[in-house]
Amino acid sequence: MSQQAPPRVSRPSFVDTRGPRMDPNETPGRYPFYWTRAIYSGWGRRGWGQSWATDYPKGDQQFLVVLKRLVRLNAYDWENAIWLDDPTLRRFPIIYAVEVGGMDMTNAEVEGLRSYLDAGGFLIVDDFWGQREWDVFEYNIRRVYPDHPIVDITLDHPIYSAYYDIEEVKQVPAIGRAMYPAECYGCVPYVKGIYDEDGRLVVIINFNTDLGDAWEWAEDPRYPLEYSTYAYEMGANMIVYAMSH
Amino acid sequence: MERIFEFLFKYPPLFFEQGDFTFGAPMSVRLWLIIVGILGAATVASYTIARGKSTVTDRGVMAGLRVLLLAVIIVCLLQPSLILSTVVPQQNFVGILIDDSQSMLLADENGEPRNSFINEEFASDESELLRQLSDRFALRFFRFSDVAGRIDSPSELAYGGTHTNLSRALDVAREELSGVPLSGLVMITDGADNDDQPLAESLVPLQAAGVPVFTVGLGEESIAPDIELGRIEMPRAVLEGSSLTVDAVITQTGFENSTVPLIVEDELQIIAEEMVELGPDGEPVVARIYFELEGVGPRRVSFRIPPQPGERVNRNNARSVQVEVRGEREKVLYFEGEPRFEVKFMRRAVEEDENIQLVVLQRTAESKFLRLDVDDGSELEFGFPTSREELYRYRALILGSVEASFFTYDQLQMIADFVSERGGGLLLLGGHGAFSEGGWQGTPVEEVMPVVLTSPSDDPQGFFAEVAVTPTPAGLTHPAVLLGVEQDQVRERWDSLPTVTTVNPISQVRPGATALLSGSGEQLALEQIVLAFQRYGRGKSIALTIQDSWLWQMHADVPLEDQSHETFWQQMIRWLVDGVPEAVEAVTDREQVEPGESVQLVTNVGDSSYIEVNNATVTARITSPTGTVEELPVSWTVQRDGEYSVEFRPLEEGEYEVEVTAERNGEALGSDKTYLYTAPSDDEYFSASRRTQTLRRIADETGGQFYTPEDVSSLPEDIRVTGAGVTLVEELDLWDMPFLFFLLLMLMGGEWGFRRIRGLI
């Protein structure tokens, strides 16, 4: 699989423009896989309510470069961000949402995410820490699925062996926090999930961990190999699992 | 016409057909020719000399008429006659074969049953026909239906036969009367043979023995008004929950262009009903009806059209078909060359289908595979099967986006053999690694594909097009494409589905293949073949050239409750495994017989590689409706590799279970089960109109005659001149035929009239 040409437009700004953030000259469907980031309303470190855009787009591009070397995946090489209430979202059966501790979805986004998951979509959640951010995320996801329990995804789940055999859930730190990985006091990493009525895993939640930073900074010699390795292993497993289950 | 002939020529046409023409005058032919020459020359000379007012033409015409007149007189003087062999009275036998089947009780238009002719002409002492026959011949009576045999008199006929076998009747009569001088056979029947025995095999010995058959056709050539439910095209085994498409052939007379309901019942429960529009009189229509069968086991599915007002025969409005609903989990291998969402959504679509086990082998990296829904850790442990034994465990194979170069040549050949030899179903999906784009051109599998591959696109980005999918006319009636909606809504449903994409431009199917779905789009120069299939060897291959059918589930335009995607894939995979043979497969030659009728059980035996086995020990265990078990050895037929057969006669009425097991050197090769239903047949009420063509053929090919009740009175005299049996030679004078007298008068009158017209008198 050869390197694809970069998008022929300038990067989208982080202002609140609607519509997909993919190269407008690209037709969804040309490639079997698009690494798609969920754009949701909220607040965050990036200002203007842009917590969704953490590590964007470098993290996404870097993740794709490595992922395509690890997994035989015919993927679009570039980032693809899309609003949760955009109907085009349903063309991308896996979406990635980060820093959901700053999430504040509109009703349309809640509806969009619910119908997306009900139709067969899969949501990967990452990079939020501590009880406060958990509460924010839980409040938002409860608006989508009020009655579906959030459960621990224990190590006997097939997602841990879909590609790599993962035997331990690690706490992946952000860049510069290798010595003290946790971003909150006493935080323990969890992998949790939500199942639909038919028992299918539709949401996977990486809590108290930051896989995205590991993907983004894997090439930085200061970033610990142990964590970037784990992050890529987990990333590959989540994608292979979500594309087959 | 025949009477006029007989008046003019003194004898019926049959006499002229049978007899030899001769002249009885004593002198030699040469002398007569000399006399004719002299008289002719004298006549011509007299007209030439006596000119008068006449022209040359006048004299020519008159001379010609006079010469003809002289010729007729001379022919009469030559004493023409027919030499005919006629049977010696009371020294010859005639076999009278009377149809004893149920159809003889059918009433004709006048309300009289067909057998009333038999009662009047053959069972009554007052019958003139019977008297004349008895005077000339010794009569021997036979009755026939599915069997045939001697009877002492027609009063023994019961008209209870459930089949008519004309061939067997002729064979039995010929054999029984082979030791006596036989003048001929008289066959009284409607001719509605419903046995498969070829007639020619029975006619040839009769021709060789010189025994003419005189056929008397009873009944009408067309029964009207009447509706008949003819052939039902339905598989003998289906997977539980499969959508069945069944064709029923309906013929009718007198109900032109009317609409009647066709009802399908399973165990007295109506499971489907379809209104069928009938065509012009006499033209069969094919009604297609869809339904599902629930519950595993043998079933009797009934099809019926309620009797219509005024209909003459009601018992030909219903038919029953024996079908086995199988409950096994059919194992299908889906090999995908890369992670693709087709895997996820196809699995979701069929996960609730208990009869489908979709085993997924997905290549996630070079030599790294994800296995899903395998039976155990050893299944597909080393990736795609490398032996036939391993691959042939599956009943169908789905190949996703995987390039041909992934496989060894042996594996490619094995995939082709999987279809042609094992009889499996092969489904090829579109994708970057599929078809031409995946380098499949020139491989053994290309031959199997139902589509024509062209060179891949030169565009480094590859071909890509969005496709709006629509069913072809053939697809509109195919169960895999119906999406679970009524037939008239199929196109509308497809049109409502979102566009999908393809990276494989394919616009042509192979000769013999059928396209079921086609596609169009702005980026497509030619219409895209989306779904096509063909039979290949023992199996079938299907091509689905799109790469993201999952959009029919996931796309925002598709309502969440829409089941199109699930239905499509469930039906596709069921179709893929439908009819795929087992290594050991047993089948009876008929699904329903009458008690006591013989049944041929044929079993095909192969090993795990589906190579035919000729040295197997094959046993049939036959369980009757009351539970009696009989075990029969099934023997190799010798004519075909791996084919074993045995004949048996089920005596009880009801459902028989036949289980066949095969083993070789103590090692089990496999087993299969089939079912048979025994019940009295209604066949006599189907196609019960008179078969004049058949009866004429029997008569013509044996030198006999065909009659109807209206013209049968000449039968005794006709048999007399057939020449079979003990005969004597009769010479019949022809010089006094009225025709010759009229001819003389015409010639004389003609000359006189000519003279009057020309003023020569």
Side-chain angles (χ1 to χ4, degrees), chain B residues 340-361:
Chain B
R340 289 208 305 171
F341 288 112
E342 283 295 79
V343 174
K344 167 180 177 148
F345 286 96
M346 198 191 299
R347 291 185 70 221
R348 285 170 64 112
V350 300
E351 71 183 350
E352 286 182 8
D353 192 332
E354 290 175 0
N355 300 111
I356 299 291
Q357 182 184 354
L358 185 65
V359 177
V360 173
L361 179 70

PDB file of all heavy atoms in Angstrom, chain B residues 340-361:
ATOM      1  N   ARG B 340     -11.918  -5.571   7.321  1.00  0.00           N
ATOM      2  CA  ARG B 340     -12.921  -4.806   6.579  1.00  0.00           C
ATOM      3  C   ARG B 340     -14.230  -4.863   7.344  1.00  0.00           C
ATOM      4  O   ARG B 340     -14.547  -5.861   7.986  1.00  0.00           O
ATOM      5  CB  ARG B 340     -13.148  -5.393   5.185  1.00  0.00           C
ATOM      6  CG  ARG B 340     -12.007  -5.176   4.233  1.00  0.00           C
ATOM      7  CD  ARG B 340     -12.475  -5.132   2.785  1.00  0.00           C
ATOM      8  NE  ARG B 340     -13.236  -6.315   2.388  1.00  0.00           N
ATOM      9  CZ  ARG B 340     -13.889  -6.392   1.228  1.00  0.00           C
ATOM     10  NH1 ARG B 340     -13.884  -5.363   0.400  1.00  0.00           N
ATOM     11  NH2 ARG B 340     -14.543  -7.489   0.899  1.00  0.00           N
ATOM     12  N   PHE B 341     -15.010  -3.828   7.205  1.00  0.00           N
ATOM     13  CA  PHE B 341     -16.273  -3.807   7.936  1.00  0.00           C
ATOM     14  C   PHE B 341     -17.277  -4.819   7.391  1.00  0.00           C
ATOM     15  O   PHE B 341     -18.268  -5.108   8.051  1.00  0.00           O
ATOM     16  CB  PHE B 341     -16.869  -2.400   7.923  1.00  0.00           C
ATOM     17  CG  PHE B 341     -16.109  -1.445   8.794  1.00  0.00           C
ATOM     18  CD1 PHE B 341     -15.390  -0.400   8.252  1.00  0.00           C
ATOM     19  CD2 PHE B 341     -16.090  -1.626  10.167  1.00  0.00           C
ATOM     20  CE1 PHE B 341     -14.679   0.464   9.065  1.00  0.00           C
ATOM     21  CE2 PHE B 341     -15.373  -0.771  10.991  1.00  0.00           C
ATOM     22  CZ  PHE B 341     -14.659   0.281  10.438  1.00  0.00           C
ATOM     23  N   GLU B 342     -17.040  -5.341   6.173  1.00  0.00           N
ATOM     24  CA  GLU B 342     -17.941  -6.376   5.667  1.00  0.00           C
ATOM     25  C   GLU B 342     -18.002  -7.558   6.643  1.00  0.00           C
ATOM     26  O   GLU B 342     -19.040  -8.165   6.826  1.00  0.00           O
ATOM     27  CB  GLU B 342     -17.471  -6.882   4.295  1.00  0.00           C
ATOM     28  CG  GLU B 342     -17.771  -5.952   3.124  1.00  0.00           C
ATOM     29  CD  GLU B 342     -19.254  -5.775   2.846  1.00  0.00           C
ATOM     30  OE1 GLU B 342     -19.881  -4.980   3.580  1.00  0.00           O
ATOM     31  OE2 GLU B 342     -19.777  -6.395   1.932  1.00  0.00           O
ATOM     32  N   VAL B 343     -16.863  -7.863   7.266  1.00  0.00           N
ATOM     33  CA  VAL B 343     -16.810  -8.988   8.202  1.00  0.00           C
ATOM     34  C   VAL B 343     -17.753  -8.731   9.369  1.00  0.00           C
ATOM     35  O   VAL B 343     -18.596  -9.556   9.720  1.00  0.00           O
ATOM     36  CB  VAL B 343     -15.373  -9.196   8.707  1.00  0.00           C
ATOM     37  CG1 VAL B 343     -15.327 -10.263   9.786  1.00  0.00           C
ATOM     38  CG2 VAL B 343     -14.449  -9.572   7.555  1.00  0.00           C
ATOM     39  N   LYS B 344     -17.593  -7.559   9.956  1.00  0.00           N
ATOM     40  CA  LYS B 344     -18.400  -7.236  11.128  1.00  0.00           C
ATOM     41  C   LYS B 344     -19.891  -7.282  10.806  1.00  0.00           C
ATOM     42  O   LYS B 344     -20.670  -7.914  11.522  1.00  0.00           O
ATOM     43  CB  LYS B 344     -18.031  -5.827  11.596  1.00  0.00           C
ATOM     44  CG  LYS B 344     -19.013  -5.244  12.601  1.00  0.00           C
ATOM     45  CD  LYS B 344     -18.599  -3.857  13.027  1.00  0.00           C
ATOM     46  CE  LYS B 344     -19.635  -3.285  13.982  1.00  0.00           C
ATOM     47  NZ  LYS B 344     -19.052  -2.389  14.957  1.00  0.00           N
ATOM     48  N   PHE B 345     -20.271  -6.627   9.729  1.00  0.00           N
ATOM     49  CA  PHE B 345     -21.700  -6.499   9.465  1.00  0.00           C
ATOM     50  C   PHE B 345     -22.297  -7.779   8.894  1.00  0.00           C
ATOM     51  O   PHE B 345     -23.462  -8.069   9.127  1.00  0.00           O
ATOM     52  CB  PHE B 345     -21.947  -5.285   8.568  1.00  0.00           C
ATOM     53  CG  PHE B 345     -21.791  -3.994   9.322  1.00  0.00           C
ATOM     54  CD1 PHE B 345     -20.594  -3.295   9.302  1.00  0.00           C
ATOM     55  CD2 PHE B 345     -22.822  -3.508  10.116  1.00  0.00           C
ATOM     56  CE1 PHE B 345     -20.432  -2.127  10.029  1.00  0.00           C
ATOM     57  CE2 PHE B 345     -22.672  -2.339  10.840  1.00  0.00           C
ATOM     58  CZ  PHE B 345     -21.478  -1.635  10.802  1.00  0.00           C
ATOM     59  N   MET B 346     -21.507  -8.554   8.178  1.00  0.00           N
ATOM     60  CA  MET B 346     -22.032  -9.839   7.717  1.00  0.00           C
ATOM     61  C   MET B 346     -22.257 -10.762   8.917  1.00  0.00           C
ATOM     62  O   MET B 346     -23.264 -11.461   9.003  1.00  0.00           O
ATOM     63  CB  MET B 346     -21.069 -10.492   6.719  1.00  0.00           C
ATOM     64  CG  MET B 346     -21.732 -11.589   5.895  1.00  0.00           C
ATOM     65  SD  MET B 346     -20.574 -12.572   4.936  1.00  0.00           S
ATOM     66  CE  MET B 346     -19.829 -11.365   3.878  1.00  0.00           C
ATOM     67  N   ARG B 347     -21.324 -10.757   9.848  1.00  0.00           N
ATOM     68  CA  ARG B 347     -21.490 -11.596  11.039  1.00  0.00           C
ATOM     69  C   ARG B 347     -22.725 -11.179  11.826  1.00  0.00           C
ATOM     70  O   ARG B 347     -23.489 -12.007  12.304  1.00  0.00           O
ATOM     71  CB  ARG B 347     -20.254 -11.492  11.935  1.00  0.00           C
ATOM     72  CG  ARG B 347     -19.019 -12.133  11.327  1.00  0.00           C
ATOM     73  CD  ARG B 347     -17.875 -12.106  12.310  1.00  0.00           C
ATOM     74  NE  ARG B 347     -18.101 -13.008  13.425  1.00  0.00           N
ATOM     75  CZ  ARG B 347     -17.821 -12.733  14.692  1.00  0.00           C
ATOM     76  NH1 ARG B 347     -17.289 -11.563  15.016  1.00  0.00           N
ATOM     77  NH2 ARG B 347     -18.058 -13.602  15.641  1.00  0.00           N
ATOM     78  N   ARG B 348     -22.895  -9.871  11.968  1.00  0.00           N
ATOM     79  CA  ARG B 348     -24.078  -9.381  12.689  1.00  0.00           C
ATOM     80  C   ARG B 348     -25.359  -9.814  11.980  1.00  0.00           C
ATOM     81  O   ARG B 348     -26.355 -10.166  12.619  1.00  0.00           O
ATOM     82  CB  ARG B 348     -24.062  -7.850  12.753  1.00  0.00           C
ATOM     83  CG  ARG B 348     -23.081  -7.274  13.740  1.00  0.00           C
ATOM     84  CD  ARG B 348     -22.968  -5.777  13.539  1.00  0.00           C
ATOM     85  NE  ARG B 348     -24.212  -5.085  13.804  1.00  0.00           N
ATOM     86  CZ  ARG B 348     -24.407  -4.264  14.830  1.00  0.00           C
ATOM     87  NH1 ARG B 348     -23.441  -4.043  15.682  1.00  0.00           N
ATOM     88  NH2 ARG B 348     -25.560  -3.660  14.989  1.00  0.00           N
ATOM     89  N   ALA B 349     -25.328  -9.758  10.646  1.00  0.00           N
ATOM     90  CA  ALA B 349     -26.542 -10.054   9.883  1.00  0.00           C
ATOM     91  C   ALA B 349     -26.991 -11.499  10.060  1.00  0.00           C
ATOM     92  O   ALA B 349     -28.177 -11.792  10.059  1.00  0.00           O
ATOM     93  CB  ALA B 349     -26.313  -9.754   8.399  1.00  0.00           C
ATOM     94  N   VAL B 350     -26.019 -12.406  10.203  1.00  0.00           N
ATOM     95  CA  VAL B 350     -26.397 -13.831  10.246  1.00  0.00           C
ATOM     96  C   VAL B 350     -26.263 -14.423  11.647  1.00  0.00           C
ATOM     97  O   VAL B 350     -26.508 -15.606  11.825  1.00  0.00           O
ATOM     98  CB  VAL B 350     -25.573 -14.666   9.245  1.00  0.00           C
ATOM     99  CG1 VAL B 350     -25.781 -14.164   7.829  1.00  0.00           C
ATOM    100  CG2 VAL B 350     -24.097 -14.668   9.595  1.00  0.00           C
ATOM    101  N   GLU B 351     -25.918 -13.602  12.640  1.00  0.00           N
ATOM    102  CA  GLU B 351     -25.633 -14.192  13.954  1.00  0.00           C
ATOM    103  C   GLU B 351     -26.873 -14.827  14.584  1.00  0.00           C
ATOM    104  O   GLU B 351     -26.772 -15.746  15.385  1.00  0.00           O
ATOM    105  CB  GLU B 351     -25.006 -13.160  14.895  1.00  0.00           C
ATOM    106  CG  GLU B 351     -25.943 -12.097  15.374  1.00  0.00           C
ATOM    107  CD  GLU B 351     -25.244 -11.060  16.233  1.00  0.00           C
ATOM    108  OE1 GLU B 351     -24.090 -11.279  16.607  1.00  0.00           O
ATOM    109  OE2 GLU B 351     -25.876 -10.023  16.510  1.00  0.00           O
ATOM    110  N   GLU B 352     -28.062 -14.322  14.231  1.00  0.00           N
ATOM    111  CA  GLU B 352     -29.262 -14.908  14.827  1.00  0.00           C
ATOM    112  C   GLU B 352     -29.778 -16.099  14.031  1.00  0.00           C
ATOM    113  O   GLU B 352     -30.748 -16.724  14.417  1.00  0.00           O
ATOM    114  CB  GLU B 352     -30.352 -13.840  14.934  1.00  0.00           C
ATOM    115  CG  GLU B 352     -30.065 -12.867  16.050  1.00  0.00           C
ATOM    116  CD  GLU B 352     -31.155 -11.833  16.218  1.00  0.00           C
ATOM    117  OE1 GLU B 352     -32.203 -11.963  15.573  1.00  0.00           O
ATOM    118  OE2 GLU B 352     -30.928 -10.899  16.987  1.00  0.00           O
ATOM    119  N   ASP B 353     -29.140 -16.371  12.922  1.00  0.00           N
ATOM    120  CA  ASP B 353     -29.564 -17.493  12.093  1.00  0.00           C
ATOM    121  C   ASP B 353     -28.901 -18.758  12.630  1.00  0.00           C
ATOM    122  O   ASP B 353     -27.709 -18.973  12.461  1.00  0.00           O
ATOM    123  CB  ASP B 353     -29.144 -17.245  10.636  1.00  0.00           C
ATOM    124  CG  ASP B 353     -29.805 -18.237   9.689  1.00  0.00           C
ATOM    125  OD1 ASP B 353     -30.105 -19.359  10.144  1.00  0.00           O
ATOM    126  OD2 ASP B 353     -30.008 -17.883   8.517  1.00  0.00           O
ATOM    127  N   GLU B 354     -29.699 -19.584  13.276  1.00  0.00           N
ATOM    128  CA  GLU B 354     -29.143 -20.768  13.931  1.00  0.00           C
ATOM    129  C   GLU B 354     -28.653 -21.815  12.936  1.00  0.00           C
ATOM    130  O   GLU B 354     -27.963 -22.757  13.312  1.00  0.00           O
ATOM    131  CB  GLU B 354     -30.197 -21.394  14.839  1.00  0.00           C
ATOM    132  CG  GLU B 354     -30.496 -20.538  16.044  1.00  0.00           C
ATOM    133  CD  GLU B 354     -31.621 -21.092  16.879  1.00  0.00           C
ATOM    134  OE1 GLU B 354     -32.166 -22.141  16.510  1.00  0.00           O
ATOM    135  OE2 GLU B 354     -31.944 -20.457  17.893  1.00  0.00           O
ATOM    136  N   ASN B 355     -29.030 -21.664  11.697  1.00  0.00           N
ATOM    137  CA  ASN B 355     -28.640 -22.670  10.710  1.00  0.00           C
ATOM    138  C   ASN B 355     -27.384 -22.308   9.946  1.00  0.00           C
ATOM    139  O   ASN B 355     -26.974 -23.034   9.053  1.00  0.00           O
ATOM    140  CB  ASN B 355     -29.792 -22.900   9.724  1.00  0.00           C
ATOM    141  CG  ASN B 355     -31.032 -23.384  10.426  1.00  0.00           C
ATOM    142  OD1 ASN B 355     -32.014 -22.674  10.516  1.00  0.00           O
ATOM    143  ND2 ASN B 355     -30.961 -24.568  10.982  1.00  0.00           N
ATOM    144  N   ILE B 356     -26.818 -21.170  10.260  1.00  0.00           N
ATOM    145  CA  ILE B 356     -25.608 -20.747   9.568  1.00  0.00           C
ATOM    146  C   ILE B 356     -24.471 -20.597  10.576  1.00  0.00           C
ATOM    147  O   ILE B 356     -24.619 -19.913  11.584  1.00  0.00           O
ATOM    148  CB  ILE B 356     -25.825 -19.377   8.857  1.00  0.00           C
ATOM    149  CG1 ILE B 356     -26.943 -19.464   7.817  1.00  0.00           C
ATOM    150  CG2 ILE B 356     -24.524 -18.877   8.230  1.00  0.00           C
ATOM    151  CD1 ILE B 356     -26.618 -20.300   6.611  1.00  0.00           C
ATOM    152  N   GLN B 357     -23.362 -21.255  10.304  1.00  0.00           N
ATOM    153  CA  GLN B 357     -22.154 -21.029  11.101  1.00  0.00           C
ATOM    154  C   GLN B 357     -21.141 -20.354  10.188  1.00  0.00           C
ATOM    155  O   GLN B 357     -20.548 -20.996   9.330  1.00  0.00           O
ATOM    156  CB  GLN B 357     -21.596 -22.352  11.640  1.00  0.00           C
ATOM    157  CG  GLN B 357     -20.365 -22.144  12.516  1.00  0.00           C
ATOM    158  CD  GLN B 357     -19.741 -23.441  12.989  1.00  0.00           C
ATOM    159  OE1 GLN B 357     -20.273 -24.516  12.765  1.00  0.00           O
ATOM    160  NE2 GLN B 357     -18.599 -23.341  13.648  1.00  0.00           N
ATOM    161  N   LEU B 358     -20.999 -19.056  10.380  1.00  0.00           N
ATOM    162  CA  LEU B 358     -20.090 -18.298   9.526  1.00  0.00           C
ATOM    163  C   LEU B 358     -18.720 -18.278  10.202  1.00  0.00           C
ATOM    164  O   LEU B 358     -18.487 -17.538  11.156  1.00  0.00           O
ATOM    165  CB  LEU B 358     -20.625 -16.875   9.329  1.00  0.00           C
ATOM    166  CG  LEU B 358     -19.837 -16.006   8.354  1.00  0.00           C
ATOM    167  CD1 LEU B 358     -19.924 -16.555   6.933  1.00  0.00           C
ATOM    168  CD2 LEU B 358     -20.358 -14.565   8.377  1.00  0.00           C
ATOM    169  N   VAL B 359     -17.841 -19.122   9.702  1.00  0.00           N
ATOM    170  CA  VAL B 359     -16.482 -19.187  10.238  1.00  0.00           C
ATOM    171  C   VAL B 359     -15.644 -18.149   9.498  1.00  0.00           C
ATOM    172  O   VAL B 359     -15.575 -18.173   8.269  1.00  0.00           O
ATOM    173  CB  VAL B 359     -15.878 -20.592  10.043  1.00  0.00           C
ATOM    174  CG1 VAL B 359     -14.446 -20.642  10.527  1.00  0.00           C
ATOM    175  CG2 VAL B 359     -16.728 -21.623  10.743  1.00  0.00           C
ATOM    176  N   VAL B 360     -15.045 -17.227  10.240  1.00  0.00           N
ATOM    177  CA  VAL B 360     -14.280 -16.153   9.603  1.00  0.00           C
ATOM    178  C   VAL B 360     -12.795 -16.392   9.799  1.00  0.00           C
ATOM    179  O   VAL B 360     -12.350 -16.682  10.914  1.00  0.00           O
ATOM    180  CB  VAL B 360     -14.674 -14.778  10.180  1.00  0.00           C
ATOM    181  CG1 VAL B 360     -13.761 -13.689   9.637  1.00  0.00           C
ATOM    182  CG2 VAL B 360     -16.128 -14.466   9.845  1.00  0.00           C
ATOM    183  N   LEU B 361     -12.079 -16.280   8.706  1.00  0.00           N
ATOM    184  CA  LEU B 361     -10.620 -16.279   8.762  1.00  0.00           C
ATOM    185  C   LEU B 361     -10.195 -14.958   8.141  1.00  0.00           C
ATOM    186  O   LEU B 361     -10.398 -14.730   6.948  1.00  0.00           O
ATOM    187  CB  LEU B 361     -10.054 -17.454   7.955  1.00  0.00           C
ATOM    188  CG  LEU B 361      -8.535 -17.551   7.925  1.00  0.00           C
ATOM    189  CD1 LEU B 361      -7.989 -17.955   9.290  1.00  0.00           C
ATOM    190  CD2 LEU B 361      -8.079 -18.568   6.875  1.00  0.00           C
TER     191      LEU B 361
END
